[in-house]
């Protein structure tokens, strides 16, 4: 039921790279890259107007911020920056911080139930698994390519990025200022929004079961 996902999961965790657009020009370019997609109809063929922008071509040289976040109940309560290439060692450092955050939030429990994806470089690496065991974290691994089962993917990452991007009065800022605003924006998302977003897990799962894992309406 909905209340299970909202109350019994100690954390949904996921990684996200945010493009640190810190000038008016960079922000305009980032907004233009956020193109809504739709299934191409036969009538549209391969006309140029229906081709999506090439990923990564529009903001060359603009740094990105690699974040692992944890959300549960009604709040993004964990926010950790990964510096450098993401791998098992970086996952180990992240899990140690996550374990500390979970104990501060819930107290000492026999174990913590966490939902994450099947990322082989970090979450499911041998070092990552060892770190989870040490921190008493038991993970449920989502199947590949299933953003509809991760609240951060299907809603909250977008909310954090758009609210940070559209905040007035920051037309030119330092990278440190951007990182601080990103963190504060995430942790200050309206609690009802976060709780309702996690509650959608029940409906998303039900839709997958009903369609037997296929794309509903596209059989």
């Amino acid at each position: 039921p909905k209340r299970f996902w909202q109350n019994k999961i100690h954390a949904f965790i996921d990684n996200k790279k945010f493009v640190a657009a810190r000038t008016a020009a960079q922000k305009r370019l980032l907004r233009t890259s956020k193109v809504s997609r739709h299934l191409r109809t036969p009538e549209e063929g391969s006309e140029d107007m229906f081709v999506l922008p090439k990923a990564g071509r529009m903001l060359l040289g603009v740094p990105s911020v690699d974040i692992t976040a944890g959300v549960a109940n009604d709040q993004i309560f964990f926010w950790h920056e990964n510096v450098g290439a993401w791998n098992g060692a970086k996952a180990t450092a992240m899990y140690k911080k996550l374990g500390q955050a979970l104990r501060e939030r819930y107290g000492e429990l026999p174990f913590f139930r966490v939902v994450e994806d099947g990322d082989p470089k970090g979450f499911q690496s041998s070092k990552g698994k060892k770190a989870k065991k040490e921190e008493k974290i038991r993970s449920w691994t989502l199947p590949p390519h299933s953003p509809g089962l991760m609240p951060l993917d299907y809603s909250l990452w977008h909310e954090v990025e758009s609210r940070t991007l559209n905040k007035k009065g920051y037309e030119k800022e330092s990278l440190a200022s951007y990182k601080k605003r990103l963190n504060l924006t995430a942790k200050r998302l309206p609690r009802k929004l976060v709780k309702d977003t996690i509650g959608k897990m029940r409906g998303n799962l039900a839709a997958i079961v009903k369609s037997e894992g296929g794309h509903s309406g596209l059989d």
Side-chain angles (χ1 to χ4, degrees):
K2 182 185 294 186
R3 64 181 177 275
F4 173 82
W5 302 101
Q6 292 171 325
N7 300 328
K8 299 299 183 180
I9 299 296
H10 296 115
F12 294 86
I13 66 167
D14 193 27
N15 284 9
K16 166 76 173 177
K17 281 192 176 183
F18 291 93
V19 176
R22 292 164 290 127
T23 68
Q26 289 172 355
K27 289 176 182 181
R28 282 195 301 271
L29 284 173
L30 185 57
R31 288 189 187 97
T32 63
S33 72
K34 303 298 180 182
V35 177
S36 297
R37 306 176 183 213
H38 70 279
L39 290 175
R40 190 191 302 269
T41 65
E43 290 79 13
E44 289 171 354
S46 58
E47 296 178 43
D48 289 343
M49 64 181 289
F50 296 109
V51 177
L52 289 166
K54 293 185 182 298
R57 296 282 183 89
M58 305 187 71
L59 287 154
L60 291 175
V62 179
S64 60
V65 183
D66 188 359
I67 297 294
T68 302
V71 59
N73 187 257
D74 61 0
Q75 183 183 28
I76 293 178
F77 69 93
F78 177 69
W79 193 263
H80 176 76
E81 182 182 356
N82 304 298
V83 179
W86 174 248
N87 53 33
K90 291 295 193 305
T92 296
M94 181 277 293
Y95 280 123
K96 289 185 181 300
K97 293 286 188 180
L98 177 62
Q100 180 181 345
L102 289 167
R103 288 188 291 275
E104 289 175 356
R105 184 177 177 87
Y106 299 105
E108 292 290 344
L109 298 179
F111 68 91
F112 299 100
R113 183 183 289 116
V114 168
V115 177
E116 61 190 14
D117 64 32
D119 155 48
K121 291 183 178 180
F123 296 161
Q124 309 309 324
S125 67
S126 58
K127 290 181 179 180
K129 290 178 179 178
K130 181 181 177 183
K132 281 184 278 192
K133 185 175 181 180
E134 291 174 352
E135 297 298 327
K136 299 180 181 179
I137 294 172
R138 295 184 185 177
S139 63
W140 287 358
T141 305
L142 296 176
H145 312 298
S146 53
L149 299 181
M150 172 56 69
L152 287 155
D153 270 335
Y154 62 72
S155 175
L156 300 178
W157 286 136
H158 170 74
E159 286 289 340
V160 173
E161 184 172 54
S162 63
R163 288 167 186 254
T164 303
L165 186 65
N166 296 325
K167 182 73 172 178
K168 301 295 184 183
Y170 294 90
E171 297 308 315
K172 189 174 182 181
E173 65 179 327
S174 67
L175 184 58
S177 170
Y178 173 84
K179 290 179 181 180
K180 183 177 180 180
R181 286 201 306 117
L182 196 67
N183 187 345
L184 290 175
T185 300
K187 292 181 176 178
R188 291 174 179 174
L189 286 179
R191 298 213 170 195
K192 185 178 185 304
L193 167 68
V194 178
K195 194 175 185 70
D196 289 347
T197 295
I198 294 175
K200 291 178 181 178
M201 277 289 290
R202 182 182 186 279
N204 290 0
L205 283 163
I208 289 173
V209 172
K210 184 178 179 180
S211 66
E212 298 180 343
H215 295 282
S216 179
L218 300 177
D219 299 326

